[in-house]
């Protein structure tokens, strides 16, 4: 599924839809491991719960693909993330409704039988002096 750039665009489209209880089983193995800076989630059900109950409780996340590389059963991507607070609350930090933040992730996805079995995602926060890579590479 994500083993092509077009497939990864579909993955992001489905993620951005916010329907995580359909999204996760479509793309992740039941026993998948999802590592992100600061935490590790074991199992597709726990990942769907995290996306639905923790992430979506405070923010809407829009992800844009900047770079895509595939070698054998490994997909590597660079992503631009835009978080928009949908209410006051805590996700990574305290947020106020309407607040926006842009940062970048690099992800490595191991694929077996058309499902992600292991994802490792590293985050780089930005500040006012950081270049918008999507604009820089003409992806907007």
């Amino acid at each position: 599924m994500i083993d092509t750039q077009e497939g990864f665009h579909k993955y992001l489209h489905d993620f951005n839809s916010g329907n995580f209880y359909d999204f996760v089983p479509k793309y992740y193995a039941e026993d998948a491991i999802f590592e992100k800076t600061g935490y590790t989630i074991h199992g597709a059900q726990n990942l769907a719960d995290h996306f639905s109950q923790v992430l979506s409780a405070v923010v809407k996340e829009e992800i844009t693909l900047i770079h895509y590389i595939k070698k054998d059963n490994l997909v590597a991507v660079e992503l631009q993330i835009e978080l928009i607070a949908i209410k006051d609350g805590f996700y990574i930090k305290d947020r106020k409704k309407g607040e926006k933040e842009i940062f970048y992730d690099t992800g490595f996805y191991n694929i077996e039988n058309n499902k992600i079995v292991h994802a490792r995602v590293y985050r780089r926060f930005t500040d006012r002096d950081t270049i918008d890579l999507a604009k820089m590479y003409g992806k907007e």
Side-chain angles (χ1 to χ4, degrees), residues 2 7 14 45-46 51 63 106 109 120 138:
I2 69 165
D14 290 351
Q45 183 62 48
N46 291 330
F51 287 154
I63 305 174
T106 299
Y109 300 85
R120 287 165 315 286

Side-chain angles (χ1 to χ4, degrees), residues 3-126:
D3 59 346
T4 66
Q5 188 166 344
E6 296 77 24
F8 202 87
H9 278 291
K10 176 70 173 143
Y11 167 90
L12 293 179
H13 176 268
D14 290 351
F15 179 90
N16 289 339
S17 76
N19 190 349
F20 298 115
Y21 288 109
D22 289 339
F23 166 79
V24 170
K26 181 176 179 180
Y27 291 98
Y28 287 85
E30 190 173 314
D31 59 349
I33 297 171
F34 185 90
E35 296 179 78
K36 195 157 193 172
T37 304
Y39 60 88
T40 300
I41 298 171
H42 295 267
Q45 183 62 48
N46 291 330
L47 185 57
D49 290 344
H50 172 76
F51 287 154
S52 294
Q53 298 170 19
V54 177
L55 173 75
S56 294
V58 177
V59 298
K60 171 76 172 134
E61 189 173 56
E62 290 288 330
I63 305 174
T64 304
L65 180 64
I66 298 171
H67 288 109
Y68 176 95
I69 300 169
K70 180 179 184 293
K71 182 169 175 31
D72 302 324
N73 290 332
L74 178 68
V75 170
V77 296
E78 182 178 19
L79 307 167
Q80 179 177 294
I81 314 297
E82 181 178 60
L83 290 183
I84 302 168
I86 57 174
K87 69 177 191 178
D88 291 355
F90 184 87
Y91 180 73
I92 303 172
K93 65 179 188 175
D94 286 324
R95 299 189 182 276
K96 297 289 184 198
K97 184 177 179 176
E99 175 184 279
K100 293 182 183 180
E101 180 179 17
I102 293 177
F103 52 87
Y104 296 89
D105 283 356
T106 299
F108 298 92
Y109 300 85
N110 294 92
I111 304 165
E112 292 177 11
N113 300 317
N114 271 339
K115 299 275 185 161
I116 299 166
V117 294
H118 192 182
R120 287 165 315 286
V121 180
Y122 303 93
R123 177 159 289 165
R124 181 177 67 85
F125 290 98
T126 62

